[in-house]
Amino acid sequence: MFGESFSLFRVLGFEIRANVTWLFLALLITWSLAAGFFPFVYPDLAPSTYWLMALVGMFGLFFSLLFHELSHSVVARAYGLPVGGITLFLFGGVAEMEAEPKTPRVEFWMAIAGPIASVVLGVAFFVVAVTMEGVGVPEHIAGVARYLGFINFLLAVFNMVPGFPLDGGRVLRAALWHWKGDLRWATRWASLMGQGFGLLLVALGVVSFLGGNFIGGMWWFLIGLFVRAAASAGYQQLLTQQALEGKTVRRFMTTDPVIVPPEVTIRQFVEDYLYHHDFDVFPVVRDSRLLGCASLRQVKSVPQEEWDRTRVGDVCLDCGEANTVDVRTDAGEALNRMQRTENGRLMVLDGDRLVGMLVLKDFLRYLQIRSELKKA
Ligand SMILES: [Zn+2]
Protein backbone atom coordinates (compact mmCIF):
# COMPACT_ATOMS: atom_id res chain seq x y z
CA MET A 1 0.00 0.00 0.00
CA PHE A 2 1.24 3.50 -0.86
CA GLY A 3 4.48 2.35 -2.49
CA GLU A 4 7.95 1.87 -1.05
CA SER A 5 8.71 1.45 2.64
CA PHE A 6 12.18 1.38 4.11
CA SER A 7 13.41 -0.27 7.25
CA LEU A 8 14.58 2.06 10.05
CA PHE A 9 15.47 0.01 13.14
CA ARG A 10 14.18 -2.68 15.49
CA VAL A 11 12.52 -2.13 18.87
CA LEU A 12 11.55 -5.00 21.23
CA GLY A 13 12.02 -7.38 18.29
CA PHE A 14 9.64 -5.50 15.96
CA GLU A 15 10.90 -4.13 12.67
CA ILE A 16 10.05 -0.43 12.31
CA ARG A 17 9.55 0.82 8.76
CA ALA A 18 8.65 4.18 7.32
CA ASN A 19 6.71 4.56 4.10
CA VAL A 20 7.99 7.19 1.64
CA THR A 21 4.74 9.07 2.25
CA TRP A 22 5.82 9.53 5.88
CA LEU A 23 8.68 11.77 4.74
CA PHE A 24 6.06 14.00 3.16
CA LEU A 25 4.07 14.06 6.41
CA ALA A 26 7.23 14.82 8.44
CA LEU A 27 8.07 17.78 6.18
CA LEU A 28 4.51 19.09 6.24
CA ILE A 29 4.33 18.89 10.03
CA THR A 30 7.73 20.52 10.58
CA TRP A 31 6.84 23.31 8.19
CA SER A 32 3.38 23.98 9.64
CA LEU A 33 4.76 24.00 13.20
CA ALA A 34 7.67 26.30 12.33
CA ALA A 35 5.76 28.69 10.09
CA GLY A 36 2.28 28.53 11.63
CA PHE A 37 1.59 27.03 15.02
CA PHE A 38 4.58 28.04 17.18
CA PRO A 39 4.86 31.65 15.89
CA PHE A 40 1.13 32.04 16.57
CA VAL A 41 1.26 30.72 20.16
CA TYR A 42 4.69 32.16 21.11
CA PRO A 43 5.22 35.35 19.03
CA ASP A 44 8.46 37.38 18.63
CA LEU A 45 11.07 34.60 18.69
CA ALA A 46 13.87 34.08 16.16
CA PRO A 47 12.93 31.97 13.07
CA SER A 48 15.73 29.50 13.90
CA THR A 49 14.12 28.92 17.33
CA TYR A 50 10.80 28.09 15.66
CA TRP A 51 12.48 25.61 13.31
CA LEU A 52 14.30 23.92 16.18
CA MET A 53 11.05 23.66 18.15
CA ALA A 54 9.30 22.28 15.06
CA LEU A 55 11.99 19.66 14.54
CA VAL A 56 11.73 18.49 18.15
CA GLY A 57 7.93 18.49 17.77
CA MET A 58 8.14 16.34 14.64
CA PHE A 59 10.44 13.78 16.28
CA GLY A 60 8.16 13.79 19.33
CA LEU A 61 5.20 13.02 17.08
CA PHE A 62 7.18 10.22 15.42
CA PHE A 63 7.92 8.80 18.88
CA SER A 64 4.25 9.16 19.91
CA LEU A 65 2.95 7.27 16.86
CA LEU A 66 5.55 4.58 17.40
CA PHE A 67 4.66 4.26 21.09
CA HIS A 68 0.98 3.86 20.18
CA GLU A 69 1.62 1.15 17.57
CA LEU A 70 4.18 -0.63 19.76
CA SER A 71 1.58 -1.02 22.51
CA HIS A 72 -0.78 -2.78 20.05
CA SER A 73 2.07 -5.02 18.91
CA VAL A 74 3.24 -5.91 22.42
CA VAL A 75 -0.28 -6.93 23.50
CA ALA A 76 -0.80 -8.90 20.26
CA ARG A 77 2.44 -10.77 20.83
CA ALA A 78 1.54 -11.47 24.47
CA TYR A 79 -1.59 -13.22 23.16
CA GLY A 80 0.49 -15.24 20.71
CA LEU A 81 -0.52 -13.39 17.52
CA PRO A 82 2.26 -12.91 14.97
CA VAL A 83 3.09 -9.26 14.18
CA GLY A 84 4.89 -8.50 10.93
CA GLY A 85 6.27 -5.15 12.03
CA ILE A 86 5.24 -1.52 12.29
CA THR A 87 5.01 0.83 9.33
CA LEU A 88 4.57 4.57 9.63
CA PHE A 89 2.85 6.13 6.66
CA LEU A 90 1.02 9.26 5.58
CA PHE A 91 -1.92 8.94 7.97
CA GLY A 92 -0.04 7.68 11.00
CA GLY A 93 1.09 4.19 11.81
CA VAL A 94 -0.04 0.64 11.37
CA ALA A 95 0.99 -2.49 13.28
CA GLU A 96 0.86 -5.33 10.79
CA MET A 97 -1.08 -8.22 12.26
CA GLU A 98 -0.59 -11.41 10.29
CA ALA A 99 -3.69 -13.03 11.79
CA GLU A 100 -7.01 -11.84 13.20
CA PRO A 101 -7.62 -12.19 16.96
CA LYS A 102 -9.37 -15.43 17.89
CA THR A 103 -11.68 -14.13 20.62
CA PRO A 104 -13.48 -10.83 21.45
CA ARG A 105 -11.41 -10.56 24.62
CA VAL A 106 -8.10 -10.60 22.73
CA GLU A 107 -9.44 -8.13 20.17
CA PHE A 108 -10.59 -5.77 22.93
CA TRP A 109 -7.26 -5.66 24.75
CA MET A 110 -5.25 -5.39 21.55
CA ALA A 111 -7.37 -2.46 20.35
CA ILE A 112 -7.65 -0.53 23.62
CA ALA A 113 -3.90 -0.80 24.30
CA GLY A 114 -3.11 1.94 21.74
CA PRO A 115 -5.40 4.70 23.06
CA ILE A 116 -4.42 3.84 26.66
CA ALA A 117 -0.75 4.18 25.71
CA SER A 118 -1.43 7.55 24.04
CA VAL A 119 -3.28 8.89 27.10
CA VAL A 120 -0.45 7.77 29.40
CA LEU A 121 2.15 9.38 27.14
CA GLY A 122 0.03 12.53 26.88
CA VAL A 123 -0.09 12.84 30.67
CA ALA A 124 3.68 12.24 30.83
CA PHE A 125 4.34 15.09 28.35
CA PHE A 126 2.09 17.45 30.34
CA VAL A 127 3.90 16.54 33.56
CA VAL A 128 7.23 17.29 31.83
CA ALA A 129 5.86 20.66 30.59
CA VAL A 130 4.58 21.69 34.01
CA THR A 131 7.82 20.60 35.71
CA MET A 132 9.90 22.55 33.18
CA GLU A 133 7.84 25.69 33.78
CA GLY A 134 8.13 25.13 37.53
CA VAL A 135 11.96 25.16 37.41
CA GLY A 136 12.04 28.28 35.23
CA VAL A 137 12.57 26.85 31.73
CA PRO A 138 11.34 29.41 29.13
CA GLU A 139 7.66 29.09 28.29
CA HIS A 140 8.15 28.29 24.60
CA ILE A 141 10.52 25.35 25.31
CA ALA A 142 8.07 23.81 27.77
CA GLY A 143 5.48 24.58 25.10
CA VAL A 144 6.87 21.86 22.83
CA ALA A 145 6.21 19.25 25.54
CA ARG A 146 2.76 20.80 26.08
CA TYR A 147 2.06 20.50 22.33
CA LEU A 148 3.10 16.82 22.36
CA GLY A 149 0.84 16.14 25.34
CA PHE A 150 -2.04 17.64 23.42
CA ILE A 151 -1.17 15.63 20.27
CA ASN A 152 -1.24 12.37 22.23
CA PHE A 153 -4.70 13.14 23.63
CA LEU A 154 -5.83 13.95 20.12
CA LEU A 155 -4.42 10.62 18.87
CA ALA A 156 -6.30 8.74 21.60
CA VAL A 157 -9.58 10.53 20.88
CA PHE A 158 -9.38 10.15 17.09
CA ASN A 159 -8.55 6.46 17.40
CA MET A 160 -11.43 5.82 19.80
CA VAL A 161 -14.05 6.82 17.21
CA PRO A 162 -16.20 3.66 17.04
CA GLY A 163 -15.68 2.85 13.35
CA PHE A 164 -13.67 -0.14 12.11
CA PRO A 165 -10.68 -0.25 11.40
CA LEU A 166 -9.92 2.48 13.97
CA ASP A 167 -9.17 1.21 17.48
CA GLY A 168 -12.59 2.32 18.73
CA GLY A 169 -14.18 0.39 15.86
CA ARG A 170 -12.28 -2.71 16.93
CA VAL A 171 -13.47 -2.22 20.50
CA LEU A 172 -17.02 -1.91 19.14
CA ARG A 173 -16.54 -5.06 17.06
CA ALA A 174 -15.23 -6.94 20.11
CA ALA A 175 -18.30 -5.85 22.11
CA LEU A 176 -20.77 -6.84 19.36
CA TRP A 177 -18.91 -10.09 18.78
CA HIS A 178 -19.02 -10.87 22.50
CA TRP A 179 -22.73 -10.00 22.61
CA LYS A 180 -24.00 -12.06 19.64
CA GLY A 181 -21.12 -14.50 19.17
CA ASP A 182 -21.08 -13.71 15.43
CA LEU A 183 -17.82 -12.23 14.15
CA ARG A 184 -19.19 -11.61 10.67
CA TRP A 185 -22.22 -9.67 11.87
CA ALA A 186 -20.04 -7.69 14.31
CA THR A 187 -17.53 -6.83 11.58
CA ARG A 188 -20.28 -5.77 9.21
CA TRP A 189 -21.71 -3.22 11.68
CA ALA A 190 -18.34 -1.95 12.88
CA SER A 191 -17.29 -1.57 9.23
CA LEU A 192 -20.48 0.32 8.31
CA MET A 193 -19.80 2.72 11.21
CA GLY A 194 -16.24 3.16 9.88
CA GLN A 195 -17.51 3.88 6.37
CA GLY A 196 -19.99 6.39 7.76
CA PHE A 197 -17.27 8.12 9.76
CA GLY A 198 -15.09 8.23 6.63
CA LEU A 199 -17.89 9.95 4.69
CA LEU A 200 -18.37 12.41 7.53
CA LEU A 201 -14.69 13.36 7.34
CA VAL A 202 -14.94 13.74 3.55
CA ALA A 203 -17.92 16.11 4.01
CA LEU A 204 -16.06 18.01 6.73
CA GLY A 205 -13.09 18.33 4.37
CA VAL A 206 -15.25 19.73 1.56
CA VAL A 207 -16.91 22.23 3.90
CA SER A 208 -13.64 23.55 5.32
CA PHE A 209 -12.09 23.64 1.82
CA LEU A 210 -14.98 25.80 0.60
CA GLY A 211 -14.61 27.88 3.74
CA GLY A 212 -11.06 28.78 2.68
CA ASN A 213 -9.07 26.28 4.77
CA PHE A 214 -7.44 24.58 1.75
CA ILE A 215 -4.74 22.45 3.37
CA GLY A 216 -6.82 21.41 6.38
CA GLY A 217 -9.82 20.66 4.16
CA MET A 218 -7.82 18.54 1.74
CA TRP A 219 -6.27 16.71 4.68
CA TRP A 220 -9.65 15.72 6.18
CA PHE A 221 -10.93 14.80 2.75
CA LEU A 222 -8.02 12.39 2.17
CA ILE A 223 -8.18 10.86 5.66
CA GLY A 224 -11.93 10.37 5.17
CA LEU A 225 -11.43 8.55 1.86
CA PHE A 226 -8.76 6.39 3.44
CA VAL A 227 -10.88 5.45 6.48
CA ARG A 228 -13.84 4.62 4.23
CA ALA A 229 -11.77 2.38 1.94
CA ALA A 230 -10.04 0.63 4.85
CA ALA A 231 -13.37 0.01 6.61
CA SER A 232 -14.87 -1.67 3.59
CA ALA A 233 -11.66 -3.62 2.80
CA GLY A 234 -11.58 -4.96 6.37
CA TYR A 235 -15.02 -6.49 5.96
CA GLN A 236 -14.21 -7.93 2.53
CA GLN A 237 -11.06 -9.49 3.92
CA LEU A 238 -13.01 -11.21 6.68
CA LEU A 239 -15.48 -12.63 4.12
CA THR A 240 -12.56 -13.91 2.07
CA GLN A 241 -10.90 -15.54 5.06
CA GLN A 242 -14.18 -17.22 5.99
CA ALA A 243 -14.70 -18.45 2.42
CA LEU A 244 -11.24 -20.03 2.41
CA GLU A 245 -11.35 -21.41 5.92
CA GLY A 246 -10.26 -25.03 6.25
CA LYS A 247 -9.09 -25.21 2.60
CA THR A 248 -5.49 -25.75 1.61
CA VAL A 249 -3.47 -24.58 -1.37
CA ARG A 250 -4.13 -27.97 -3.07
CA ARG A 251 -7.77 -27.02 -3.63
CA PHE A 252 -6.86 -23.99 -5.79
CA MET A 253 -3.68 -24.91 -7.65
CA THR A 254 -3.35 -25.77 -11.34
CA THR A 255 -1.95 -29.27 -11.63
CA ASP A 256 -0.36 -28.98 -15.10
CA PRO A 257 1.85 -25.88 -14.93
CA VAL A 258 4.24 -24.94 -17.74
CA ILE A 259 7.58 -26.52 -16.89
CA VAL A 260 11.01 -26.35 -18.53
CA PRO A 261 13.13 -29.53 -18.84
CA PRO A 262 16.77 -28.85 -17.86
CA GLU A 263 18.07 -30.04 -21.30
CA VAL A 264 16.38 -27.16 -23.14
CA THR A 265 18.93 -24.69 -24.59
CA ILE A 266 18.79 -21.03 -23.78
CA ARG A 267 17.72 -20.27 -27.37
CA GLN A 268 14.81 -22.74 -27.14
CA PHE A 269 13.90 -21.30 -23.76
CA VAL A 270 13.71 -17.81 -25.21
CA GLU A 271 11.77 -18.88 -28.34
CA ASP A 272 9.37 -21.45 -26.85
CA TYR A 273 8.87 -20.21 -23.31
CA LEU A 274 9.77 -16.57 -22.69
CA TYR A 275 8.11 -15.30 -25.90
CA HIS A 276 5.11 -17.60 -25.55
CA HIS A 277 4.02 -17.18 -21.95
CA ASP A 278 3.31 -14.14 -19.92
CA PHE A 279 5.30 -15.39 -16.88
CA ASP A 280 8.38 -13.95 -15.23
CA VAL A 281 9.71 -17.11 -13.62
CA PHE A 282 9.66 -20.69 -14.98
CA PRO A 283 10.18 -23.87 -12.96
CA VAL A 284 12.93 -26.16 -14.25
CA VAL A 285 11.78 -29.72 -13.60
CA ARG A 286 13.06 -33.26 -14.17
CA ASP A 287 10.86 -36.26 -13.21
CA SER A 288 8.59 -33.87 -11.30
CA ARG A 289 11.53 -32.75 -9.11
CA LEU A 290 12.05 -28.98 -8.99
CA LEU A 291 15.69 -28.26 -9.90
CA GLY A 292 15.47 -24.48 -9.90
CA CYS A 293 13.97 -21.46 -11.57
CA ALA A 294 14.76 -19.76 -14.88
CA SER A 295 13.89 -16.22 -15.89
CA LEU A 296 14.91 -13.43 -18.26
CA ARG A 297 17.64 -12.47 -15.81
CA GLN A 298 19.51 -15.79 -16.29
CA VAL A 299 19.16 -15.50 -20.07
CA LYS A 300 20.76 -12.05 -20.00
CA SER A 301 23.71 -13.41 -18.03
CA VAL A 302 24.65 -15.66 -21.01
CA PRO A 303 26.21 -14.07 -24.17
CA GLN A 304 24.04 -14.63 -27.30
CA GLU A 305 26.72 -16.71 -29.10
CA GLU A 306 26.56 -19.25 -26.25
CA TRP A 307 22.75 -19.66 -26.39
CA ASP A 308 22.83 -22.87 -28.48
CA ARG A 309 25.44 -24.53 -26.29
CA THR A 310 24.17 -23.55 -22.84
CA ARG A 311 21.32 -25.46 -21.24
CA VAL A 312 18.73 -24.03 -18.89
CA GLY A 313 19.67 -26.66 -16.28
CA ASP A 314 23.18 -25.13 -16.12
CA VAL A 315 22.07 -21.57 -15.37
CA CYS A 316 18.85 -21.94 -13.37
CA LEU A 317 18.93 -20.72 -9.77
CA ASP A 318 17.30 -21.74 -6.52
CA CYS A 319 13.64 -20.61 -6.65
CA GLY A 320 13.74 -19.10 -3.19
CA GLU A 321 11.01 -19.02 -0.58
CA ALA A 322 9.34 -16.04 -2.23
CA ASN A 323 8.28 -18.15 -5.25
CA THR A 324 7.26 -21.42 -3.56
CA VAL A 325 4.59 -22.65 -1.18
CA ASP A 326 3.99 -26.02 0.51
CA VAL A 327 0.95 -27.93 -0.77
CA ARG A 328 -0.47 -28.24 2.78
CA THR A 329 -0.43 -24.47 3.43
CA ASP A 330 -3.70 -22.85 4.48
CA ALA A 331 -5.29 -21.16 1.44
CA GLY A 332 -6.10 -17.94 3.34
CA GLU A 333 -2.50 -17.66 4.49
CA ALA A 334 -1.21 -18.16 0.93
CA LEU A 335 -3.62 -15.51 -0.39
CA ASN A 336 -2.46 -13.03 2.28
CA ARG A 337 1.14 -13.69 1.32
CA MET A 338 0.47 -13.22 -2.41
CA GLN A 339 -1.27 -9.91 -1.78
CA ARG A 340 1.41 -8.72 0.61
CA THR A 341 4.36 -9.62 -1.63
CA GLU A 342 2.49 -8.82 -4.87
CA ASN A 343 3.62 -12.16 -6.27
CA GLY A 344 0.69 -13.55 -8.28
CA ARG A 345 2.19 -17.01 -8.96
CA LEU A 346 3.60 -19.52 -6.48
CA MET A 347 5.04 -22.95 -7.25
CA VAL A 348 3.37 -25.55 -5.10
CA LEU A 349 5.76 -28.09 -3.61
CA ASP A 350 5.37 -31.42 -1.87
CA GLY A 351 8.87 -32.00 -0.52
CA ASP A 352 11.11 -31.33 -3.53
CA ARG A 353 8.39 -32.31 -6.04
CA LEU A 354 6.54 -29.67 -8.02
CA VAL A 355 2.85 -30.62 -7.80
CA GLY A 356 1.19 -27.50 -9.16
CA MET A 357 1.04 -23.76 -9.59
CA LEU A 358 -0.99 -21.38 -7.46
CA VAL A 359 -2.29 -18.38 -9.42
CA LEU A 360 -3.81 -15.33 -7.73
CA LYS A 361 -6.28 -14.93 -10.62
CA ASP A 362 -7.81 -18.38 -9.90
CA PHE A 363 -8.25 -17.51 -6.25
CA LEU A 364 -10.03 -14.27 -7.04
CA ARG A 365 -12.23 -16.04 -9.60
CA TYR A 366 -13.29 -18.61 -7.02
CA LEU A 367 -14.18 -15.84 -4.52
CA GLN A 368 -16.02 -13.88 -7.20
CA ILE A 369 -18.15 -16.87 -8.24
CA ARG A 370 -18.83 -17.76 -4.63
CA SER A 371 -20.06 -14.31 -3.83
CA GLU A 372 -22.24 -14.22 -7.00
CA LEU A 373 -23.86 -17.52 -6.00
CA LYS A 374 -24.48 -16.24 -2.47
CA LYS A 375 -26.38 -13.28 -3.89
CA ALA A 376 -28.60 -15.50 -6.08
ZN1 LIG B 1 -4.23 2.28 17.36
Side-chain angles (χ1 to χ4, degrees):
M1 194 165 43
F2 300 112
E4 287 290 301
S5 294
F6 46 92
S7 193
L8 296 175
F9 46 82
R10 294 182 78 86
V11 185
L12 303 172
F14 300 109
E15 191 184 349
I16 312 298
R17 289 179 292 267
N19 187 271
V20 284
T21 55
W22 208 87
L23 289 178
F24 175 73
L25 180 75
L27 284 175
L28 189 73
I29 286 171
T30 313
W31 172 72
S32 56
L33 285 178
F37 182 75
F38 287 135
F40 176 74
V41 184
Y42 306 102
D44 302 325
L45 298 170
S48 60
T49 311
Y50 290 132
W51 280 100
L52 204 61
M53 289 163 71
L55 219 56
V56 174
M58 189 271 287
F59 278 108
L61 177 68
F62 176 83
F63 174 75
S64 302
L65 288 172
L66 202 60
F67 191 74
H68 178 106
E69 298 306 330
L70 267 175
S71 68
H72 286 306
S73 304
V74 166
V75 173
R77 189 167 61 184
Y79 279 112
L81 286 167
V83 179
I86 292 170
T87 304
L88 297 176
F89 72 111
L90 188 55
F91 301 123
V94 57
E96 284 149 14
M97 305 297 160
E98 286 174 356
E100 288 285 319
K102 295 279 181 271
T103 65
R105 206 185 128 79
V106 174
E107 165 116 90
F108 174 81
W109 285 113
M110 248 173 67
I112 201 86
I116 290 178
S118 292
V119 168
V120 170
L121 193 60
V123 170
F125 274 122
F126 274 123
V127 169
V128 168
V130 170
T131 313
M132 282 167 110
E133 281 160 9
V135 299
V137 174
E139 194 196 21
H140 65 275
I141 294 181
V144 179
R146 199 173 275 279
Y147 159 79
L148 288 171
F150 174 71
I151 283 291
N152 273 282
F153 283 135
L154 208 64
L155 262 180
V157 170
F158 181 79
N159 276 293
M160 275 314 283
V161 168
F164 189 83
L166 297 171
D167 297 337
R170 288 184 170 274
V171 168
L172 173 70
R173 177 167 88 157
L176 294 174
W177 183 8
H178 178 75
W179 180 36
K180 287 253 176 145
D182 184 345
L183 174 61
R184 184 164 163 171
W185 177 81
T187 309
R188 186 156 166 265
W189 279 103
S191 157
L192 281 175
M193 292 283 287
Q195 294 179 45
F197 177 59
L199 282 181
L200 192 72
L201 290 181
V202 167
L204 189 74
V206 171
V207 169
S208 48
F209 190 88
L210 293 178
N213 180 2
F214 298 117
I215 293 187
M218 201 130 89
W219 200 242
W220 288 120
F221 184 83
L222 286 176
I223 294 183
L225 282 186
F226 171 74
V227 166
R228 205 185 101 75
S232 123
Y235 181 55
Q236 283 306 322
Q237 196 185 352
L238 179 86
L239 292 184
T240 303
Q241 290 299 329
Q242 288 194 335
L244 297 179
E245 199 167 354
K247 299 184 175 70
T248 61
V249 160
R250 190 188 293 278
R251 166 74 180 69
F252 298 96
M253 68 188 191
T254 325
T255 46
D256 55 347
V258 174
I259 56 164
V260 186
E263 302 76 38
V264 164
T265 65
I266 298 285
R267 187 169 305 281
Q268 285 172 307
F269 176 62
V270 171
E271 295 292 332
D272 301 344
Y273 292 88
L274 270 183
Y275 280 144
H276 269 269
H277 302 279
D278 183 23
F279 311 145
D280 296 325
V281 180
F282 292 80
V284 181
V285 174
R286 179 192 283 135
D287 303 330
S288 80
R289 271 186 58 233
L290 181 68
L291 303 176
C293 278
S295 66
L296 182 62
R297 177 125 55 106
Q298 276 92 59
V299 170
K300 279 157 77 179
S301 72
V302 179
Q304 287 235 13
E305 54 274 19
E306 311 259 319
W307 279 13
D308 291 309
R309 270 173 286 154
T310 314
R311 305 195 179 276
V312 168
D314 301 328
V315 295
C316 69
L317 292 175
D318 185 73
C319 294
E321 272 185 33
N323 288 311
T324 57
V325 63
D326 186 88
V327 69
R328 284 163 289 267
T329 306
D330 184 67
E333 197 186 310
L335 178 64
N336 267 349
R337 210 181 106 191
M338 289 171 114
Q339 289 176 330
R340 207 172 54 234
T341 59
E342 292 178 10
N343 188 352
R345 286 164 52 84
L346 295 176
M347 292 161 213
V348 183
L349 294 181
D350 188 354
D352 63 353
R353 284 176 41 243
L354 181 78
V355 291
M357 186 72 78
L358 189 65
V359 184
L360 184 59
K361 207 167 77 229
D362 299 343
F363 253 142
L364 300 180
R365 197 177 127 77
Y366 168 84
L367 293 167
Q368 175 71 31
I369 291 175
R370 204 185 130 106
S371 98
E372 293 286 324
L373 288 176
K374 277 245 163 104
K375 275 185 221 147

